[in-house]
Amino acid sequence: MPLVNGKYLLKNAEKFKYGQAAFNVNFVDQIDAAIEIHEIMHAPLLIQVADPALGFFAGVYDFKNSTIEDKKRGAKLVADYVINKAKDTKIPIALHLDHGRNFEVCKACVDAGFTSVMYDGSSLSFEENITNTIEVVEYAKKYDVSVEGELGVLAGVEDDVRAESSTYTNPIQALEFAEKTKIDYLAISYGTKHGSNKGKDVNLSTEIVIAIRELFLFNNVDCQIVSHGSSTIPRYLVKDLSKYGMDIENTEGIKIEQIKKAIRSGINKINIDTDIRMATTRNLLEMFEKDESYKLNKYYKFVYEYLMDNRGDFDPRSSLKPFMNEAIEGFSDKDKCIKDAIKKAVYEIMSQIIVEFNSLGKI
């Protein structure tokens, strides 16, 4: 079926009281696996690509410094791929830009065929954030593309999003922001954190979520609420990666019960990224452990040596740089071991999240 806009998925999540996970992807094999597991579990799928990842999909080695032209090319490649794959499935799929840094990137994704985009002006003044977000909304609405805005600052680092400390979202400002910009959904700061270390015993301020939801309802504002920095980072994954030599003992996620409480309080979209990166890298290390001969292959050798030399970096975009063509073309059968590592990580993480967030059978 054709792609749906993000608003459609989030309205259903709000109506039927489940959490719509939004999964970041960086390889087309992840897209394939995401569709497959969501088909099996009869769940709606929200695929998202972060701003810098557009450059990765375009084959830019230094993708975090990719140009707008690189990002346009990457946006078109990934959109064409997802649109084509969606034709053969009956589950609703939306394609979203995560953390668009400026109007040009958002426009590139709308033009390419994305059905949802995020403009992140959270680091700007309140007034400038509103002005810039309105510009994105006015363009996107011409093409029936949903828009996500952000208010409040999350601490931590993820791709090119970074902040030393959090600034919680003010519910009164959230109402004003939603009313003035006409966004479809709002990412808020209520205690989550970007990156792999959320801190021990995080207690999310769901009172902020409830207050914003009540203000939206009372003022008849149709805007759903989004949780960023929400990866759960299962302890077993940390243990597995440590066993294979990775240095990530200080890694902490958001406890799943906290996320589920947030969903009950009014969160509709929950971003998941780090969990999939960790599971993929664990699978790659397990691959080398099971078959030492992979370490002798000149391409696979780079992957292993990179991980051993950079034991704190579990981002597969770093260790799999020799395979950048495969990011958009998919891994062939001759690289089945890596293809399996990527796809099995997606099955593992997404199946858990679908069940925990109660989106099972919600198509």
Side-chain angles (χ1 to χ4, degrees):
M1 64 185 294
L3 295 183
V4 301
N5 63 32
K7 185 75 169 180
Y8 173 85
L9 296 187
L10 267 65
K11 287 284 285 183
N12 277 350
E14 181 181 55
K15 180 179 179 180
F16 297 108
K17 303 186 186 310
Y18 63 88
Q20 178 62 60
F23 296 107
N24 285 71
V25 298
N26 298 286
F27 300 89
V28 296
D29 286 310
Q30 290 178 323
I31 295 169
D32 291 347
I35 293 173
E36 289 161 13
I37 193 63
H38 280 75
E39 285 177 330
I40 290 170
M41 305 190 81
H42 296 269
L45 171 60
L46 206 169
I47 297 170
Q48 59 184 27
V49 180
D51 185 321
L54 297 172
F56 186 81
F57 273 114
V60 179
Y61 196 80
D62 185 15
F63 61 91
K64 291 185 179 180
N65 292 306
S66 52
T67 67
I68 185 61
E69 292 306 316
D70 296 328
K71 292 175 182 180
K72 285 179 181 179
R73 190 167 69 256
K76 187 69 168 63
L77 287 167
V78 71
D80 285 351
Y81 190 87
V82 175
I83 290 167
N84 186 57
K85 295 292 292 188
K87 291 176 183 176
D88 298 323
T89 183
K90 294 182 179 179
I91 63 169
I93 300 173
L95 177 60
H96 177 72
L97 167 67
D98 188 28
H99 285 291
R101 303 305 294 177
N102 52 51
F103 173 79
E104 288 73 20
V105 173
C106 293
K107 179 180 182 298
C109 288
V110 172
D111 293 346
F114 280 56
T115 57
S116 178
V117 295
M118 176 195 182
Y119 169 70
D120 181 1
S122 58
S123 63
L124 306 174
S125 69
F126 183 64
E127 293 75 17
E128 191 175 359
N129 191 0
I130 287 176
T131 299
N132 292 358
T133 303
I134 288 173
E135 182 183 18
V136 174
V137 169
E138 289 179 345
Y139 186 80
K141 294 301 181 183
K142 297 175 185 176
Y143 302 92
D144 192 30
V145 173
S146 306
V147 178
E148 176 181 332
E150 182 165 2
L151 191 62
V153 178
L154 270 67
V157 178
E158 187 171 302
D159 282 343
D160 60 350
V161 180
R162 60 187 66 235
E164 291 298 323
S165 59
S166 296
T167 303
Y168 282 9
T169 303
N170 180 317
I172 301 297
Q173 283 193 327
L175 175 62
E176 181 182 353
F177 187 85
E179 287 182 323
K180 287 184 173 178
T181 61
K182 310 299 183 188
I183 52 170
D184 295 289
Y185 20 95
L186 177 67
I188 66 169
S189 174
Y190 69 114
T192 57
K193 187 177 179 181
H194 286 301
S196 59
N197 190 5
K198 319 293 186 183
K200 273 189 171 293
D201 301 319
V202 172
N203 189 20
L204 300 180
S205 297
T206 51
E207 297 86 357
I208 294 174
V209 181
I210 293 169
I212 293 172
R213 169 57 54 214
E214 290 299 314
L215 283 169
F216 284 174
L217 288 172
F218 185 80
N219 290 277
N220 199 30
V221 173
D222 182 15
C223 180
Q224 285 68 53
I225 307 177
V226 178
S227 180
H228 283 226
S230 306
S231 289
T232 63
I233 308 180
R235 293 310 302 170
Y236 77 87
L237 275 181
V238 177
K239 183 179 178 181
D240 288 349
L241 286 164
S242 298
K243 179 180 71 174
Y244 291 124
M246 300 299 284
D247 183 17
I248 57 167
E249 278 300 329
N250 293 325
T251 302
E252 295 284 346
I254 306 292
K255 288 184 171 53
I256 195 71
E257 288 306 319
Q258 286 283 310
I259 299 294
K260 290 163 78 170
K261 180 183 177 183
I263 292 169
R264 293 192 297 271
S265 299
I267 290 290
N268 308 116
K269 172 176 177 278
I270 307 97
N271 289 9
I272 303 292
D273 184 3
T274 303
D275 294 356
I276 297 173
R277 297 188 195 193
M278 293 177 71
T280 302
T281 296
R282 186 276 317 275
N283 289 352
L284 291 171
L285 289 166
E286 191 174 74
M287 178 188 91
F288 290 112
E289 180 79 8
K290 287 181 176 179
D291 191 339
E292 292 273 334
S293 68
Y294 288 138
K295 298 177 186 177
L296 303 178
N297 179 294
K298 67 177 180 178
Y299 297 112
Y300 299 170
K301 182 181 178 181
F302 173 92
V303 179
Y304 181 74
E305 290 182 348
Y306 179 88
L307 291 171
M308 292 299 97
D309 291 340
N310 300 272
R311 294 173 183 263
D313 185 2
F314 51 79
D315 186 346
R317 293 175 302 182
S318 300
S319 59
L320 293 176
K321 277 187 173 177
F323 301 96
M324 294 200 73
N325 287 339
E326 285 77 3
I328 195 62
E329 295 174 2
F331 284 86
S332 67
D333 287 343
K334 74 180 180 65
D335 296 314
K336 187 176 183 300
C337 53
I338 293 183
K339 186 186 191 81
D340 286 348
I342 290 171
K343 295 189 74 171
K344 287 179 179 179
V346 169
Y347 299 148
E348 176 184 348
I349 298 302
M350 292 191 187
S351 61
Q352 295 178 52
I353 294 297
I354 289 168
V355 172
E356 294 286 4
F357 291 1
N358 197 33
S359 62
L360 179 70
K362 294 299 194 301
I363 61 172

